[in-house]
Amino acid sequence: MAKNVDNISGTAADVLKRIFVTAEKAAAGEGGWGMEEKKYVGYACSYTPVQLIEAAGFTPYRILPDGDNPDAAGGILNDTICPHIKKILDRAIAGDTPPLAGTVFMNSCDAMRRLYDAWLRIRPDIPSMLIDLPATTGPAERSFFRGEIAAAADKLAGWSGHPVTDDSIHRAIGLYNKLAGHLVQLNALSLKGMPYLAAGEMQAIYNKAMTGPPSSAIDEIIETIKKPRENKTPPGRVPVYLFGNVMHDPEMLSMIESCGAGIIMNDTCTGGRMFTEIETGSGNDPLMDLASGLLKKPRCARTIDTANPAGIAESLANDAGKYGAKGVICHVMKFCDPYVLRLPLIREIAQRERIPILILEGDCTMRSMGQQRTRIEAFMEMLG
Amino acid sequence: MKEYFDNMISGIEKSFIGNRDGVSPRKKYALEILKLGRRLYSGENPVAWCGIAAPFEILNAMGITSCFVEFIGATLASNGVVGAFLEESEEKGFGTDGCSYHRAVMGAMHRGIVPEPDVLIGTTAPCSGGLAVLENLSRHFTKEFFILHIPQNDSEKNVKFLADQIKGMIEFIEKKTGKKLDMDKLKESIIRSNETRAVMDEVYAMAEKVPSPAGGRDLGNFGIVLPLFFGTSTGLEIACAYRDEFRARIEKGKSGVSGEKIRILWIQNRIQFKNPVIKILEDDFGAAIVVDELNDITWSAIDENDPFTGLARRSISIPFNGTIETRIAHLQKLCRDYRVDGAINPCNWGCRQGAGARGLIDEGLRSIGVPVLNLNVDCVDSRNFSEGQLRTRIEAFLEMTGGKRQAAD
């Protein structure tokens, strides 16, 4: 993978200059991925209408905060911005993505908005768009969001050279609904040990679904379900509900399991919250189906129910109870305002409902998770 | 708290009596801000806690005492008491990585000193943190709140969407407070707001002059706080006081900073607690902050017969909304208009929307020959403030900037 950022240090101006030179090299195909056919459209947020990207004939590719690229994004944005965003930008600077026909960003939070700004500067060679995402989910906001999605469909059609029709959107919604259903089924079967999948294995499937064609992910899930496997459900695992924003690295989930946790629900934006079924019963308006479905999906902390402030905390407590969890591990990104400013409420409501909760802050690296091992072990001992 | 504001108001009013040199506009402004503080605690009128981009003309026309939440953090910091409230917020689980304007509000809420609102009006611009704070207040006081989604640009579709939301906001306020909006009062409010806007424009035009009549403290927090008074005679009077003062200074040939040598643009917000920055700039280097990022008119006069469209356009136009490309273009325009030699960005710790594009702003201003000093300070939390370190960085920056200026001259 790309490692073409040599040594980013010096004065602020020097650092910026070198970052931009590196990004230019990446744009010229020196990032290690070559200049193969641009079949992917990149995205970074679970609110992205991936169905539209699929309908336009592209493969949606979630730019996960992977890789050990040099830390350069802090120089362009700020060191105190969400590590998820910084790692994605570091990938852009180092050219560590497949060739992209475009990128779709969501105006979901301050950090995502800033990522879009920086991306435009770093990778002007890749056409990009920002879709505005309302903070609330009422009828007017759904209608506004529909308009945003319609504009995005036009842009995607321009990128691909193929019209994005109602039929193609319908088909894409159907495909992603099938994927969402299969993921739910696989998770449910795994919990029963038929077959048991370690949380890391499950996450690898989520990652495949986020970065490749949905049909391939569906095929893999079907094969996994059919494949005869010995039930290797480890005994004595304590059922835990995992909640938060980004935890994409299978190794992180494996580490939590190695502390004695049985993750019964992965309620994160790189896990169970990424793919949810979109209802299609609202007549012949697939764009409205998509807008409503995305806004109604299980919420990220950035989306607000004004009639039920802190509803996200109530939902967490209810869901943890519903799944029979003995405790909640809540893992959020450092510097993530939407979550960080709601953590006290989440803690308060979990305590009120007598649900033990462990709150962890991370930066998308195993290094930060590794430092939390002792706390996770102590939490599991307490639950056990 | 009301007693605190009463005492402060009475002290300032006493200082006005017999003052032969006249009262500075800054003092008049401070007095009105204190009176707003008193009104928030008086219980006389319904109270609204809001986001920065709320249309205050409407709230003022409805007789709602309204304020944005960040005002609390700034007030506590400027009075030197913010530490205890930040500690309170930390005890309640708010991490120190967040914006201290917002953490101070949370601490104040838990200490029971935030006046209970009748309504809460959130705005998605400028930041996600402000909305989260309003959500916390909403739950704490068991009050439903209303959110204005501020779109990213002023396309016709977006303006109409926001204008409709503003109408929805009025219905919400009427339902929650029982106060009806009198459209004639709103019309008057808009007319007064436009008059204030026009006077502010004159103030800024005078501040552009070389040397500038503006001293480093004169227009601090001006463009961000004055909107709280939009639509009121108080707002207009404050703007007029500044205009008259600046006019008089120009007529007398008096600059805001004696012997002005270096002209500075201040990005985003000022440091709110007592600090030596202005003194170092002015006394040691003859450097004047001639413009703050938010001290600008970015909107057209509002049509009083179609107020919602104009109000929507204005909310969309604030420099903190939209893309960084737009914000940088605005900063570049200010640099050119005010002929600045350098810019200072405090890069408020914990501010993602403002400080979150520090490098891009830096590059954008350097591309037009304006160097930027990124201070990396916390503008509200004084507990970790290091005067020595700050002084060294400012001195180095001003020596370099001053040298460039001399070479150019």
Side-chain angles (χ1 to χ4, degrees):
Chain A
M1 219 50 67
K3 292 288 168 294
N4 59 356
V5 183
D6 305 323
N7 177 24
I8 295 179
S9 62
T11 66
D14 289 343
V15 170
L16 277 173
K17 232 181 255 172
R18 295 178 72 161
I19 289 170
F20 293 135
V21 168
T22 306
E24 276 164 26
K25 283 186 194 169
E30 293 177 29
W33 287 79
M35 294 293 274
E36 64 192 62
E37 188 197 350
K38 291 179 178 176
K39 59 182 182 179
Y40 294 105
V41 164
Y43 70 100
C45 172
S46 65
Y47 277 102
T48 310
V50 286
Q51 297 84 347
L52 274 191
I53 298 173
E54 169 77 20
F58 295 114
T59 299
Y61 177 85
R62 180 152 178 176
I63 308 162
L64 291 165
D66 272 331
D68 56 353
N69 298 303
D71 297 337
I76 296 172
L77 296 171
N78 198 4
D79 289 325
T80 61
I81 205 160
C82 166
H84 175 217
I85 296 311
K86 283 193 287 188
K87 297 282 277 181
I88 292 173
L89 192 60
D90 282 334
R91 288 189 64 178
I93 294 165
D96 183 12
T97 65
L100 298 172
T103 35
V104 177
F105 295 97
M106 302 303 292
N107 183 19
S108 41
C109 59
D110 297 335
M112 275 290 170
R113 199 158 53 233
R114 295 292 85 95
L115 173 63
Y116 168 70
D117 290 326
W119 188 279
L120 287 183
R121 177 64 187 87
I122 291 297
R123 297 303 301 268
D125 57 308
I126 302 172
S128 298
M129 68 169 100
L130 180 71
I131 301 178
D132 209 348
L133 179 68
T136 51
T137 62
E141 286 76 15
R142 290 202 293 272
S143 176
F144 173 79
F145 190 40
R146 185 205 175 278
E148 287 291 303
I149 289 181
D154 289 345
K155 280 187 191 162
L156 282 161
W159 294 352
S160 71
H162 304 295
V164 177
T165 62
D166 280 3
D167 276 350
S168 64
I169 300 171
H170 258 308
R171 274 199 303 276
I173 291 176
L175 189 59
Y176 272 99
N177 280 353
K178 194 172 171 188
L179 174 61
H182 277 70
L183 284 164
V184 169
Q185 190 193 0
L186 183 61
N187 199 45
L189 289 171
S190 172
L191 290 175
K192 291 181 194 162
M194 321 160 39
Y196 163 75
L197 287 176
E201 289 179 276
M202 190 71 200
Q203 187 59 45
I205 293 173
Y206 278 125
N207 290 358
K208 200 159 199 179
M210 286 188 279
T211 57
S215 50
S216 305
I218 292 169
D219 290 345
E220 185 173 332
I221 295 167
I222 292 170
E223 205 173 301
T224 308
I225 291 171
K226 279 186 186 162
K227 199 173 166 184
R229 282 161 62 133
E230 196 186 332
N231 182 5
K232 286 186 181 166
T233 308
R237 289 275 170 88
V238 181
V240 163
Y241 190 98
L242 179 65
F243 174 79
N245 41 24
V246 179
M247 191 184 274
H248 72 292
D249 186 346
E251 216 184 316
M252 292 182 189
L253 289 115
S254 301
M255 193 275 270
I256 294 175
E257 281 196 329
S258 74
C259 297
I263 297 171
I264 52 167
M265 179 60 191
N266 177 351
D267 183 4
T268 65
C269 78
T270 44
R273 216 186 290 150
M274 176 64 220
F275 299 107
T276 52
E277 204 165 321
I278 303 287
E279 283 179 36
T280 51
S282 72
N284 290 321
D285 188 352
L287 290 171
M288 185 50 102
D289 290 339
L290 204 44
S292 303
L294 288 170
L295 283 176
K296 270 179 13 195
K297 68 192 257 175
R299 287 192 288 137
C300 162
R302 54 82 55 200
T303 305
I304 299 168
D305 177 358
T306 49
N308 182 19
I312 194 166
E314 306 272 3
S315 304
L316 171 59
N318 287 339
D319 290 344
K322 194 172 80 188
Y323 279 87
K326 279 197 162 185
V328 171
I329 293 181
C330 174
H331 174 266
V332 300
M333 288 293 102
K334 198 171 167 64
F335 306 125
C336 172
D337 287 337
Y339 278 90
V340 166
L341 281 161
R342 288 168 177 101
L343 287 179
L345 268 176
I346 287 171
R347 195 196 306 265
E348 180 196 318
I349 288 171
Q351 281 170 353
R352 188 191 72 195
E353 300 300 321
R354 298 181 189 282
I355 299 169
I357 185 164
L358 174 68
I359 293 179
L360 307 172
E361 276 191 6
D363 65 1
C364 300
T365 65
M366 263 314 286
R367 192 173 56 245
S368 70
M369 275 307 286
Q371 287 167 354
Q372 310 279 13
R373 176 181 275 279
T374 314
R375 291 185 64 207
I376 300 169
E377 283 171 346
F379 183 63
M380 298 320 302
E381 276 171 28
M382 190 263 290
L383 292 182
Chain B
M1 281 302 288
K2 185 176 170 296
E3 198 181 338
Y4 163 81
F5 283 109
D6 280 337
N7 291 338
M8 292 289 286
I9 288 164
S10 138
I12 290 194
E13 281 177 338
K14 271 183 201 157
S15 77
F16 287 1
I17 300 165
N19 190 335
R20 284 187 198 164
D21 297 331
V23 178
S24 77
R26 186 85 201 153
K27 273 202 168 171
K28 278 187 189 160
Y29 194 15
L31 178 65
E32 293 306 331
I33 290 169
L34 288 168
K35 284 182 180 171
L36 171 64
R38 181 169 66 184
R39 283 199 299 280
L40 285 166
Y41 286 92
S42 69
E44 288 163 19
N45 293 313
V47 166
W49 285 114
C50 303
I52 282 168
F56 291 102
E57 289 88 343
I58 295 175
L59 293 149
N60 286 330
M62 294 179 87
I64 314 279
T65 303
S66 49
C67 194
F68 46 78
V69 285
E70 289 80 1
F71 177 88
I72 298 172
T75 305
L76 294 172
S78 64
N79 284 289
V81 295
V82 76
F85 296 94
L86 291 169
E87 277 163 24
E88 179 78 26
S89 76
E90 286 151 21
E91 271 174 33
K92 297 293 179 195
F94 293 94
T96 52
D97 289 333
C99 163
S100 44
Y101 282 94
H102 295 142
R103 287 189 289 122
V105 182
M106 292 295 88
M109 177 186 87
H110 282 292
R111 283 217 168 178
I113 68 150
V114 173
E116 181 167 348
D118 294 273
V119 285
L120 296 132
I121 308 294
T123 57
T124 55
C127 64
S128 316
L131 273 186
V133 164
L134 281 158
E135 188 176 5
N136 275 282
L137 289 172
S138 170
R139 184 169 186 279
H140 181 83
F141 290 111
T142 8
K143 301 279 166 149
E144 198 177 328
F145 76 128
F146 189 94
I147 295 178
L148 291 169
H149 180 87
I150 315 289
Q152 292 289 286
N153 62 58
D154 69 348
S155 68
E156 286 307 314
K157 169 185 79 80
N158 286 347
V159 171
K160 186 178 179 314
F161 169 65
L162 181 51
D164 288 344
Q165 284 186 86
I166 292 173
K167 289 176 202 165
M169 178 199 82
I170 294 167
E171 280 175 31
F172 172 80
I173 297 171
E174 287 179 339
K175 199 171 133 197
K176 297 290 169 192
T177 64
K179 286 197 160 221
K180 283 272 167 211
L181 173 65
D182 177 336
M183 288 307 285
D184 288 335
K185 275 196 179 165
L186 178 60
K187 209 172 194 177
E188 281 170 33
S189 182
I190 297 294
I191 291 168
R192 221 170 286 128
S193 173
N194 285 336
E195 287 168 359
T196 308
R197 175 193 170 280
V199 178
M200 287 168 81
D201 206 17
E202 285 183 70
V203 171
Y204 297 146
M206 284 190 274
E208 278 180 23
K209 292 193 180 299
V210 182
S212 174
R217 284 186 185 80
D218 285 329
L219 291 172
N221 293 334
F222 181 75
I224 191 162
V225 177
L226 195 63
L228 293 174
F229 300 99
F230 276 174
T232 67
S233 53
T234 304
L236 182 57
E237 283 161 18
I238 294 168
C240 288
Y242 273 96
R243 180 196 58 195
D244 298 344
E245 172 71 16
F246 281 10
R247 193 178 279 162
R249 285 185 195 174
I250 290 169
E251 279 167 9
K252 287 181 196 159
K254 193 177 159 196
S255 56
V257 174
S258 169
E260 177 191 290
K261 291 193 187 81
I262 300 170
R263 294 164 68 83
I264 299 289
L265 157 72
W266 189 275
I267 297 172
Q268 194 143 349
N269 307 124
R270 295 290 184 97
I271 300 171
Q272 303 295 342
F273 51 85
K274 199 173 170 196
N275 69 85
V277 172
I278 306 284
K279 195 168 165 11
I280 298 170
L281 291 175
E282 296 186 352
D283 295 357
D284 299 353
F285 292 90
I289 298 173
V290 290
V291 59
D292 289 58
E293 182 178 8
L294 286 179
N295 287 357
D296 194 20
I297 306 292
T298 55
W299 68 101
S300 306
I302 296 163
D303 179 354
E304 67 269 23
N305 295 309
D306 178 20
F308 306 117
T309 301
L311 289 167
R313 278 194 199 285
R314 187 184 62 201
S315 291
I316 293 170
S317 82
I318 66 165
F320 294 163
N321 190 41
T323 64
I324 280 297
E325 207 178 359
T326 312
R327 186 171 172 204
I328 291 170
H330 177 247
L331 286 167
Q332 288 174 334
K333 175 189 165 290
L334 292 178
C335 287
R336 291 189 183 106
D337 290 351
Y338 283 80
R339 285 168 276 182
V340 305
D341 302 296
I344 296 180
N345 188 351
C347 303
N348 183 33
W349 171 263
C351 176
R352 281 13 122 176
Q353 73 79 25
R358 190 189 67 175
L360 294 173
I361 291 174
D362 200 316
E363 190 214 12
L365 296 194
R366 278 179 205 278
S367 73
I368 60 161
V370 175
V372 182
L373 172 64
N374 293 308
L375 287 178
N376 296 317
V377 292
D378 191 313
C379 291
V380 167
D381 187 354
S382 53
R383 293 173 298 173
N384 294 320
F385 182 69
S386 164
E387 183 177 331
Q389 202 178 34
L390 188 86
R391 177 180 285 275
T392 308
R393 298 199 59 216
I394 291 176
E395 284 173 355
F397 178 72
L398 291 177
E399 277 161 17
M400 183 268 289
T401 311
K404 258 181 72 179
R405 172 82 179 260
Q406 273 179 351
D409 291 345

